[in-house]
Amino acid sequence: MFTGIIEKKVKIKKSIKKNNLLEIVLDLPYAIKTKIGDSISVAGCCLTVYKKTGQTVYFQVIKETLEKTIFGKKIPKEVNIEHALVFGDKLGGHILTGHIDCVGVVKKIAENKNEKDITVSFPKKFTNFIIDKGSVAVDGISLTVSKCNHSDFTVSLIPHTLKITTLGTLKKGDCVNLEFDIVSKHIVKLIKKPPMQMLRRAKKNNEK
């Protein structure tokens, strides 16, 4: 589990693809402590450290992840990094699983004096999972939706976010990893397909 508060943006040292498996290699700063088996959010994807040499860490990306993330389309030069949440940590962003829902595409970038508005398009089947002023994760970053419609949303970014994350270098047409709010997904599922207990209770109430 993650919160979407990025610790660092890190350059990808090397990426090797063999058959349906992609290996990603990163050199992490000494301030970021890891060990084999740790879960790390890499551009929003929950990946496991399977090998480590000093501060160089290795991740394996399988076919399922390649199909649903930017790693299956184009390997970025830099990625956002976040450790898994530890019990007792501050929840500065919102609850993230690190399981990417889909790839979004940067549709528009509007620069203002103290912020940058980025509009991202996404598949229409995810429309019910996003609302105005709700939360969404873009490349692992917890952001607030400033406006949205059935196929795109806009986030407004402060200079600090643009500086410490990969969002500062995004261009129109770039692909990004999207994870929609887990709470929204559960609510939509319950509405569309209520548990059997709820259906039985409703049936009994109607029979009275």
Side-chain angles (χ1 to χ4, degrees):
M1 186 181 295
F2 307 94
T3 70
I5 303 300
I6 302 306
E7 294 177 65
K8 196 78 176 176
K9 61 178 176 180
V10 178
K11 289 183 178 181
I12 290 182
K13 182 178 182 179
K14 185 167 55 174
S15 62
I16 305 168
K17 191 171 183 180
K18 295 180 180 178
N19 299 321
N20 291 322
L21 190 70
L22 174 70
E23 181 179 82
I24 293 176
V25 184
L26 304 177
D27 280 338
L28 297 182
Y30 282 97
I32 299 179
K33 306 297 181 183
T34 59
K35 63 181 185 298
I36 293 175
D38 278 357
S39 293
I40 304 291
S41 172
V42 181
C45 303
C46 179
L47 300 180
T48 301
V49 177
Y50 88 94
K51 187 168 71 171
K52 184 176 187 291
T53 306
Q55 287 300 109
T56 302
V57 293
Y58 299 76
F59 303 94
Q60 290 177 324
V61 184
I62 60 175
K63 182 181 177 181
E64 169 73 8
T65 306
L66 289 174
E67 290 176 349
K68 291 190 175 181
T69 72
I70 59 175
F71 295 122
K73 298 180 180 298
K74 182 180 179 181
I75 306 299
K77 293 181 180 180
E78 289 185 307
V79 288
N80 300 309
I81 298 296
E82 182 192 356
H83 269 100
L85 183 66
V86 176
F87 184 75
D89 281 354
K90 291 181 179 180
L91 188 62
H94 70 285
I95 296 173
L96 298 175
T97 63
H99 303 150
I100 301 303
D101 291 302
C102 65
V103 171
V105 179
V106 176
K107 184 177 178 181
K108 180 182 176 182
I109 298 177
E111 296 196 40
N112 300 313
K113 288 184 179 179
N114 296 313
E115 68 180 53
K116 182 182 285 188
D117 295 336
I118 296 179
T119 301
V120 179
S121 63
F122 60 90
K124 292 181 181 179
K125 68 178 182 178
F126 296 104
T127 296
N128 291 333
F129 300 146
I130 193 161
I131 59 172
D132 285 342
K133 304 305 179 284
S135 296
V136 65
V138 179
D139 280 349
I141 306 157
S142 175
L143 298 170
T144 300
V145 177
S146 57
K147 59 181 178 180
C148 65
N149 58 44
H150 63 283
S151 62
D152 64 52
F153 66 85
T154 300
V155 289
S156 299
L157 308 177
I158 61 174
H160 177 72
T161 303
L162 295 170
K163 181 180 179 181
I164 70 166
T165 73
T166 58
L167 298 190
T169 57
L170 282 181
K171 302 181 297 296
K172 183 179 178 181
D174 283 349
C175 292
V176 290
N177 287 325
L178 300 180
E179 181 183 344
F180 298 102
D181 187 13
I182 187 69
V183 177
S184 295
K185 287 188 274 191
H186 279 298
I187 291 173
V188 170
K189 182 179 179 180
L190 284 171
I191 293 172
K192 286 186 174 180
K193 192 175 182 181
M196 288 304 297
Q197 275 187 323
M198 292 175 64
L199 293 175
R200 291 193 192 101
R201 191 178 298 118
K203 185 178 179 181
K204 285 182 179 180
N205 289 336
N206 290 332
E207 291 173 350
K208 290 180 180 180

PDB file of all heavy atoms in Angstrom, residues 179-198:
ATOM      1  N   GLU A 179      -4.104   5.187 -11.630  1.00  0.00           N
ATOM      2  CA  GLU A 179      -4.791   4.339 -10.651  1.00  0.00           C
ATOM      3  C   GLU A 179      -5.919   5.171 -10.052  1.00  0.00           C
ATOM      4  O   GLU A 179      -5.689   6.224  -9.462  1.00  0.00           O
ATOM      5  CB  GLU A 179      -3.856   3.852  -9.538  1.00  0.00           C
ATOM      6  CG  GLU A 179      -4.609   2.962  -8.549  1.00  0.00           C
ATOM      7  CD  GLU A 179      -3.761   2.483  -7.372  1.00  0.00           C
ATOM      8  OE1 GLU A 179      -2.518   2.563  -7.443  1.00  0.00           O
ATOM      9  OE2 GLU A 179      -4.356   2.038  -6.373  1.00  0.00           O
ATOM     10  N   PHE A 180      -7.143   4.674 -10.215  1.00  0.00           N
ATOM     11  CA  PHE A 180      -8.300   5.381  -9.697  1.00  0.00           C
ATOM     12  C   PHE A 180      -8.543   5.004  -8.237  1.00  0.00           C
ATOM     13  O   PHE A 180      -8.063   3.983  -7.750  1.00  0.00           O
ATOM     14  CB  PHE A 180      -9.526   5.088 -10.562  1.00  0.00           C
ATOM     15  CG  PHE A 180      -9.357   5.543 -11.986  1.00  0.00           C
ATOM     16  CD1 PHE A 180      -9.063   4.645 -13.002  1.00  0.00           C
ATOM     17  CD2 PHE A 180      -9.445   6.890 -12.311  1.00  0.00           C
ATOM     18  CE1 PHE A 180      -8.879   5.058 -14.313  1.00  0.00           C
ATOM     19  CE2 PHE A 180      -9.267   7.325 -13.621  1.00  0.00           C
ATOM     20  CZ  PHE A 180      -8.981   6.407 -14.620  1.00  0.00           C
ATOM     21  N   ASP A 181      -9.288   5.848  -7.546  1.00  0.00           N
ATOM     22  CA  ASP A 181      -9.521   5.701  -6.113  1.00  0.00           C
ATOM     23  C   ASP A 181     -10.147   4.348  -5.782  1.00  0.00           C
ATOM     24  O   ASP A 181     -11.201   3.988  -6.303  1.00  0.00           O
ATOM     25  CB  ASP A 181     -10.434   6.839  -5.642  1.00  0.00           C
ATOM     26  CG  ASP A 181     -10.603   6.869  -4.138  1.00  0.00           C
ATOM     27  OD1 ASP A 181      -9.849   6.183  -3.438  1.00  0.00           O
ATOM     28  OD2 ASP A 181     -11.506   7.584  -3.665  1.00  0.00           O
ATOM     29  N   ILE A 182      -9.504   3.584  -4.892  1.00  0.00           N
ATOM     30  CA  ILE A 182      -9.966   2.252  -4.516  1.00  0.00           C
ATOM     31  C   ILE A 182     -11.334   2.297  -3.844  1.00  0.00           C
ATOM     32  O   ILE A 182     -12.168   1.404  -4.023  1.00  0.00           O
ATOM     33  CB  ILE A 182      -8.926   1.554  -3.597  1.00  0.00           C
ATOM     34  CG1 ILE A 182      -9.315   0.098  -3.328  1.00  0.00           C
ATOM     35  CG2 ILE A 182      -8.742   2.309  -2.299  1.00  0.00           C
ATOM     36  CD1 ILE A 182      -9.218  -0.798  -4.521  1.00  0.00           C
ATOM     37  N   VAL A 183     -11.608   3.366  -3.093  1.00  0.00           N
ATOM     38  CA  VAL A 183     -12.910   3.499  -2.432  1.00  0.00           C
ATOM     39  C   VAL A 183     -14.017   3.648  -3.475  1.00  0.00           C
ATOM     40  O   VAL A 183     -15.076   3.020  -3.376  1.00  0.00           O
ATOM     41  CB  VAL A 183     -12.916   4.702  -1.460  1.00  0.00           C
ATOM     42  CG1 VAL A 183     -14.294   4.878  -0.834  1.00  0.00           C
ATOM     43  CG2 VAL A 183     -11.861   4.517  -0.366  1.00  0.00           C
ATOM     44  N   SER A 184     -13.770   4.477  -4.484  1.00  0.00           N
ATOM     45  CA  SER A 184     -14.747   4.664  -5.562  1.00  0.00           C
ATOM     46  C   SER A 184     -15.029   3.349  -6.272  1.00  0.00           C
ATOM     47  O   SER A 184     -16.184   3.041  -6.606  1.00  0.00           O
ATOM     48  CB  SER A 184     -14.234   5.683  -6.576  1.00  0.00           C
ATOM     49  OG  SER A 184     -14.107   6.960  -6.006  1.00  0.00           O
ATOM     50  N   LYS A 185     -13.988   2.555  -6.492  1.00  0.00           N
ATOM     51  CA  LYS A 185     -14.160   1.291  -7.200  1.00  0.00           C
ATOM     52  C   LYS A 185     -15.034   0.322  -6.410  1.00  0.00           C
ATOM     53  O   LYS A 185     -15.897  -0.365  -6.973  1.00  0.00           O
ATOM     54  CB  LYS A 185     -12.786   0.672  -7.510  1.00  0.00           C
ATOM     55  CG  LYS A 185     -12.053   1.409  -8.626  1.00  0.00           C
ATOM     56  CD  LYS A 185     -10.799   0.696  -9.052  1.00  0.00           C
ATOM     57  CE  LYS A 185      -9.618   1.070  -8.205  1.00  0.00           C
ATOM     58  NZ  LYS A 185      -8.333   0.589  -8.757  1.00  0.00           N
ATOM     59  N   HIS A 186     -14.849   0.284  -5.097  1.00  0.00           N
ATOM     60  CA  HIS A 186     -15.659  -0.603  -4.257  1.00  0.00           C
ATOM     61  C   HIS A 186     -17.117  -0.147  -4.219  1.00  0.00           C
ATOM     62  O   HIS A 186     -18.035  -0.965  -4.264  1.00  0.00           O
ATOM     63  CB  HIS A 186     -15.094  -0.657  -2.835  1.00  0.00           C
ATOM     64  CG  HIS A 186     -13.930  -1.596  -2.698  1.00  0.00           C
ATOM     65  ND1 HIS A 186     -14.029  -2.947  -2.936  1.00  0.00           N
ATOM     66  CD2 HIS A 186     -12.642  -1.369  -2.341  1.00  0.00           C
ATOM     67  CE1 HIS A 186     -12.861  -3.530  -2.736  1.00  0.00           C
ATOM     68  NE2 HIS A 186     -11.990  -2.589  -2.381  1.00  0.00           N
ATOM     69  N   ILE A 187     -17.320   1.168  -4.115  1.00  0.00           N
ATOM     70  CA  ILE A 187     -18.692   1.702  -4.073  1.00  0.00           C
ATOM     71  C   ILE A 187     -19.430   1.393  -5.367  1.00  0.00           C
ATOM     72  O   ILE A 187     -20.584   0.946  -5.358  1.00  0.00           O
ATOM     73  CB  ILE A 187     -18.672   3.221  -3.810  1.00  0.00           C
ATOM     74  CG1 ILE A 187     -18.193   3.504  -2.383  1.00  0.00           C
ATOM     75  CG2 ILE A 187     -20.066   3.816  -4.027  1.00  0.00           C
ATOM     76  CD1 ILE A 187     -17.983   4.970  -2.080  1.00  0.00           C
ATOM     77  N   VAL A 188     -18.769   1.617  -6.499  1.00  0.00           N
ATOM     78  CA  VAL A 188     -19.395   1.344  -7.798  1.00  0.00           C
ATOM     79  C   VAL A 188     -19.735  -0.134  -7.927  1.00  0.00           C
ATOM     80  O   VAL A 188     -20.817  -0.504  -8.407  1.00  0.00           O
ATOM     81  CB  VAL A 188     -18.464   1.780  -8.955  1.00  0.00           C
ATOM     82  CG1 VAL A 188     -18.998   1.275 -10.295  1.00  0.00           C
ATOM     83  CG2 VAL A 188     -18.348   3.302  -8.979  1.00  0.00           C
ATOM     84  N   LYS A 189     -18.848  -1.003  -7.465  1.00  0.00           N
ATOM     85  CA  LYS A 189     -19.103  -2.447  -7.537  1.00  0.00           C
ATOM     86  C   LYS A 189     -20.304  -2.836  -6.682  1.00  0.00           C
ATOM     87  O   LYS A 189     -21.150  -3.640  -7.097  1.00  0.00           O
ATOM     88  CB  LYS A 189     -17.872  -3.224  -7.088  1.00  0.00           C
ATOM     89  CG  LYS A 189     -18.060  -4.735  -7.198  1.00  0.00           C
ATOM     90  CD  LYS A 189     -16.823  -5.495  -6.771  1.00  0.00           C
ATOM     91  CE  LYS A 189     -17.059  -6.998  -6.879  1.00  0.00           C
ATOM     92  NZ  LYS A 189     -15.866  -7.786  -6.479  1.00  0.00           N
ATOM     93  N   LEU A 190     -20.396  -2.260  -5.481  1.00  0.00           N
ATOM     94  CA  LEU A 190     -21.518  -2.579  -4.592  1.00  0.00           C
ATOM     95  C   LEU A 190     -22.848  -2.130  -5.192  1.00  0.00           C
ATOM     96  O   LEU A 190     -23.865  -2.807  -5.062  1.00  0.00           O
ATOM     97  CB  LEU A 190     -21.310  -1.913  -3.228  1.00  0.00           C
ATOM     98  CG  LEU A 190     -20.275  -2.569  -2.307  1.00  0.00           C
ATOM     99  CD1 LEU A 190     -20.028  -1.689  -1.097  1.00  0.00           C
ATOM    100  CD2 LEU A 190     -20.743  -3.951  -1.869  1.00  0.00           C
ATOM    101  N   ILE A 191     -22.829  -0.970  -5.836  1.00  0.00           N
ATOM    102  CA  ILE A 191     -24.060  -0.457  -6.454  1.00  0.00           C
ATOM    103  C   ILE A 191     -24.482  -1.322  -7.643  1.00  0.00           C
ATOM    104  O   ILE A 191     -25.658  -1.647  -7.811  1.00  0.00           O
ATOM    105  CB  ILE A 191     -23.872   1.008  -6.904  1.00  0.00           C
ATOM    106  CG1 ILE A 191     -23.707   1.913  -5.674  1.00  0.00           C
ATOM    107  CG2 ILE A 191     -25.054   1.471  -7.753  1.00  0.00           C
ATOM    108  CD1 ILE A 191     -23.326   3.337  -6.013  1.00  0.00           C
ATOM    109  N   LYS A 192     -23.492  -1.698  -8.455  1.00  0.00           N
ATOM    110  CA  LYS A 192     -23.801  -2.488  -9.652  1.00  0.00           C
ATOM    111  C   LYS A 192     -24.166  -3.929  -9.314  1.00  0.00           C
ATOM    112  O   LYS A 192     -25.018  -4.532  -9.953  1.00  0.00           O
ATOM    113  CB  LYS A 192     -22.600  -2.471 -10.608  1.00  0.00           C
ATOM    114  CG  LYS A 192     -22.408  -1.144 -11.332  1.00  0.00           C
ATOM    115  CD  LYS A 192     -21.296  -1.252 -12.359  1.00  0.00           C
ATOM    116  CE  LYS A 192     -21.190   0.018 -13.184  1.00  0.00           C
ATOM    117  NZ  LYS A 192     -20.110  -0.077 -14.194  1.00  0.00           N
ATOM    118  N   LYS A 193     -23.481  -4.493  -8.287  1.00  0.00           N
ATOM    119  CA  LYS A 193     -23.725  -5.882  -7.922  1.00  0.00           C
ATOM    120  C   LYS A 193     -23.687  -6.024  -6.403  1.00  0.00           C
ATOM    121  O   LYS A 193     -22.668  -6.403  -5.834  1.00  0.00           O
ATOM    122  CB  LYS A 193     -22.673  -6.785  -8.567  1.00  0.00           C
ATOM    123  CG  LYS A 193     -23.008  -8.270  -8.479  1.00  0.00           C
ATOM    124  CD  LYS A 193     -21.986  -9.099  -9.251  1.00  0.00           C
ATOM    125  CE  LYS A 193     -22.345 -10.576  -9.208  1.00  0.00           C
ATOM    126  NZ  LYS A 193     -21.354 -11.406  -9.939  1.00  0.00           N
ATOM    127  N   PRO A 194     -24.804  -5.736  -5.734  1.00  0.00           N
ATOM    128  CA  PRO A 194     -24.848  -5.820  -4.263  1.00  0.00           C
ATOM    129  C   PRO A 194     -24.606  -7.245  -3.776  1.00  0.00           C
ATOM    130  O   PRO A 194     -24.949  -8.210  -4.467  1.00  0.00           O
ATOM    131  CB  PRO A 194     -26.277  -5.369  -3.938  1.00  0.00           C
ATOM    132  CG  PRO A 194     -26.749  -4.657  -5.152  1.00  0.00           C
ATOM    133  CD  PRO A 194     -26.064  -5.318  -6.302  1.00  0.00           C
ATOM    134  N   PRO A 195     -24.025  -7.403  -2.575  1.00  0.00           N
ATOM    135  CA  PRO A 195     -23.823  -8.739  -2.005  1.00  0.00           C
ATOM    136  C   PRO A 195     -25.160  -9.451  -1.837  1.00  0.00           C
ATOM    137  O   PRO A 195     -26.197  -8.821  -1.660  1.00  0.00           O
ATOM    138  CB  PRO A 195     -23.178  -8.439  -0.645  1.00  0.00           C
ATOM    139  CG  PRO A 195     -22.590  -7.082  -0.789  1.00  0.00           C
ATOM    140  CD  PRO A 195     -23.489  -6.340  -1.718  1.00  0.00           C
ATOM    141  N   MET A 196     -25.160 -10.780  -1.855  1.00  0.00           N
ATOM    142  CA  MET A 196     -26.378 -11.569  -1.762  1.00  0.00           C
ATOM    143  C   MET A 196     -27.162 -11.276  -0.487  1.00  0.00           C
ATOM    144  O   MET A 196     -28.398 -11.278  -0.487  1.00  0.00           O
ATOM    145  CB  MET A 196     -26.032 -13.059  -1.828  1.00  0.00           C
ATOM    146  CG  MET A 196     -25.593 -13.530  -3.207  1.00  0.00           C
ATOM    147  SD  MET A 196     -26.821 -13.170  -4.505  1.00  0.00           S
ATOM    148  CE  MET A 196     -28.204 -14.154  -3.928  1.00  0.00           C
ATOM    149  N   GLN A 197     -26.460 -11.021   0.620  1.00  0.00           N
ATOM    150  CA  GLN A 197     -27.140 -10.720   1.887  1.00  0.00           C
ATOM    151  C   GLN A 197     -28.039  -9.495   1.750  1.00  0.00           C
ATOM    152  O   GLN A 197     -29.170  -9.480   2.236  1.00  0.00           O
ATOM    153  CB  GLN A 197     -26.120 -10.475   3.000  1.00  0.00           C
ATOM    154  CG  GLN A 197     -25.637 -11.751   3.665  1.00  0.00           C
ATOM    155  CD  GLN A 197     -24.760 -11.444   4.868  1.00  0.00           C
ATOM    156  OE1 GLN A 197     -23.984 -10.488   4.847  1.00  0.00           O
ATOM    157  NE2 GLN A 197     -24.894 -12.232   5.912  1.00  0.00           N
ATOM    158  N   MET A 198     -27.514  -8.455   1.072  1.00  0.00           N
ATOM    159  CA  MET A 198     -28.283  -7.242   0.880  1.00  0.00           C
ATOM    160  C   MET A 198     -29.506  -7.508  -0.002  1.00  0.00           C
ATOM    161  O   MET A 198     -30.595  -6.980   0.244  1.00  0.00           O
ATOM    162  CB  MET A 198     -27.403  -6.158   0.246  1.00  0.00           C
ATOM    163  CG  MET A 198     -26.303  -5.638   1.156  1.00  0.00           C
ATOM    164  SD  MET A 198     -25.202  -4.465   0.306  1.00  0.00           S
ATOM    165  CE  MET A 198     -26.358  -3.127  -0.043  1.00  0.00           C
TER     166      MET A 198
END
